[in-house]
Amino acid sequence: MNKKFKHHLPIRTKLALEIERKYCNIEIKEHALMQLFWESTLSCNLKCRHCGSDCKIDKTNCDMPVGDFLKVLDGIKAYLKSQGEDYHRIFVIITGGEPLMRQDIAECGFEIYKRGFPWGMVTNGYALTPDLFRKLQAAGLHTMTVSLDGLSDDHNWMRGRNDSFERAVRAIKLLIDTHIHSREAFDIGVGPIKFDVVTCVNKNNLKTLHQIKDFLISLGVKEWRLFTVFPSGRAADEPTLHISNEEFVYLMEFIIETRRERKIKASYGCEGFLGKWEGRVRDHFFKCSAGISVASVLSDGSISACPSIREDFVQGNIYKDDFMDVWNNRFELYRNREWAKKGICANCSFFRYCRGNGMHLRTPDGGISRCYLFGG
């Protein structure tokens, strides 16, 4: 993992990155909230090897009462209306844990939708039955992301249950059916759900990416997001999950090849700045929107940004702070990243574009756990 990548940016890429940098500066100044994650539970029905949180397979008392989160939404709505701003722009994403562990998940979604906020969900798909899916549709579900980490054996190995692959595929088929039968869906007042499949690339499934791609295409999946794990939570001590620099290059080339084929829209997740691969493996250039347009309410009420970010960067708590006051007047370390200019970032010429990489990659002492430019 010590071999450094060589990054020579074409002039066209540099110009595009400069434009993106200026646009990002405007976004930072305005910091208009666009996405709000709600970590609705820490309970989970799987035990994934790459989980970065403290999720448990047993059901414990760790669900946030929906009323507490709705108070946050009501406060956001009142504030934005007083400023003449459109609160409908804020997309609520329910996450966990596994959100489908909540018995009241459809009711939660409906209350969010009733207040005028579009909402979606990130799920492992294990508990998504046809009946529950219909209830979620009726509750205004807009989007869903389902995890599929390989073909049967690889996915089950990653997720810790022998029937998890079967359950995930069932969930994907339910989503595909909303597009096949979209006319019938509209007749009962709901529409097809926008969805994608996300895959954690690791040493076990790396060489089967072509087979996974063909399988997803055969199901009818149109969008596929691939990501690699960073050393946090359970993943920190699982060497099989971490690919080498050479394997990372293979992944980038695979995504580029798949995008050229145009049979399925593949993209790399928002893991970090990619240097010479920027503009080639995603539809957009890298930027960490955490604390700029993305916030989260965690299960204990903590106000943070992306849920993947460590607790060291929490900015407040809904049980003692007003959410919009925290959003408007804190989050400085997210919006001004000069503090991140240390270690390998201190004299890096790419810092002007990556701003120290994703906040989820920063360590409590301000260091960086992984750099996609220089390996490790």
Side-chain angles (χ1 to χ4, degrees), residues 226-244:
L226 303 97
F227 72 99
T228 49
V229 297
F230 57 101
S232 177
R234 295 177 194 148
D237 301 315
E238 186 68 69
T240 311
L241 297 178
H242 303 282
I243 62 177
S244 68

Side-chain angles (χ1 to χ4, degrees), residues 6 70 84 96 105 122 141 151 153 177 191 218 242-243 280-281 287 347 369 373:
K6 293 182 179 180
L70 295 176
I105 187 62
V122 179
L141 177 69
L151 301 179
D153 289 344
D177 282 347
S218 73
H242 303 282
I243 62 177
R280 303 175 68 198
V281 296
K287 64 179 176 182
N347 300 304
S369 61
L373 287 177

Side-chain angles (χ1 to χ4, degrees), residues 20-34 285-289 291-294 327 335 355:
E20 179 66 23
R21 186 177 72 89
K22 291 179 180 178
Y23 180 70
C24 190
N25 287 336
I26 296 172
E27 283 191 311
I28 292 171
K29 183 178 180 180
E30 296 178 349
H31 55 267
L33 182 63
M34 302 300 290
F285 290 106
F286 169 77
K287 64 179 176 182
C288 180
S289 297
I292 299 171
S293 62
V294 175
W327 178 254
R335 296 165 188 167
R355 302 173 191 264

Side-chain angles (χ1 to χ4, degrees), residues 44-57:
C44 191
N45 43 21
L46 301 180
K47 191 175 181 180
C48 305
R49 294 174 181 270
H50 66 307
C51 183
S53 63
D54 189 26
C55 303
K56 296 176 174 62
I57 199 165

Side-chain angles (χ1 to χ4, degrees), residues 98-126:
E98 169 51 47
L100 296 183
M101 289 288 283
R102 290 188 66 117
Q103 297 302 305
D104 63 346
I105 187 62
E107 291 81 358
C108 293
F110 180 69
E111 290 297 328
I112 294 169
Y113 180 68
K114 190 167 70 173
R115 282 164 170 74
F117 293 90
W119 68 280
M121 180 186 297
V122 179
T123 176
N124 59 40
Y126 191 88

Side-chain angles (χ1 to χ4, degrees), residues 203-275:
K203 288 184 180 296
N204 271 5
N205 65 13
L206 183 73
K207 296 304 181 182
T208 64
L209 289 178
H210 285 280
Q211 291 97 306
I212 300 170
K213 176 187 68 176
D214 291 342
F215 176 69
L216 293 177
I217 292 172
S218 73
L219 291 178
V221 174
K222 301 300 182 184
E223 296 193 31
W224 183 27
R225 198 153 30 102
L226 303 97
F227 72 99
T228 49
V229 297
F230 57 101
S232 177
R234 295 177 194 148
D237 301 315
E238 186 68 69
T240 311
L241 297 178
H242 303 282
I243 62 177
S244 68
N245 290 343
E246 290 76 13
E247 290 168 332
F248 187 80
V249 171
Y250 174 85
L251 172 60
M252 294 296 101
E253 292 175 346
F254 169 79
I255 294 175
I256 291 170
E257 174 192 341
T258 301
R259 289 170 69 88
R260 285 176 182 156
E261 292 172 350
R262 298 189 177 183
K263 294 179 181 179
I264 187 171
K265 186 178 180 180
S267 62
Y268 185 67
C270 56
E271 293 300 297
F273 182 74
L274 300 174

Side-chain angles (χ1 to χ4, degrees), residues 29-77:
K29 183 178 180 180
E30 296 178 349
H31 55 267
L33 182 63
M34 302 300 290
Q35 283 188 329
L36 179 61
F37 286 89
W38 177 32
E39 187 181 56
S40 63
T41 181
L42 284 182
S43 295
C44 191
N45 43 21
L46 301 180
K47 191 175 181 180
C48 305
R49 294 174 181 270
H50 66 307
C51 183
S53 63
D54 189 26
C55 303
K56 296 176 174 62
I57 199 165
D58 59 314
K59 181 71 174 175
T60 56
N61 296 322
C62 49
D63 291 359
M64 175 183 284
V66 63
D68 295 351
F69 180 67
L70 295 176
K71 288 178 183 177
V72 174
L73 293 184
D74 291 340
I76 293 172
K77 181 176 179 178

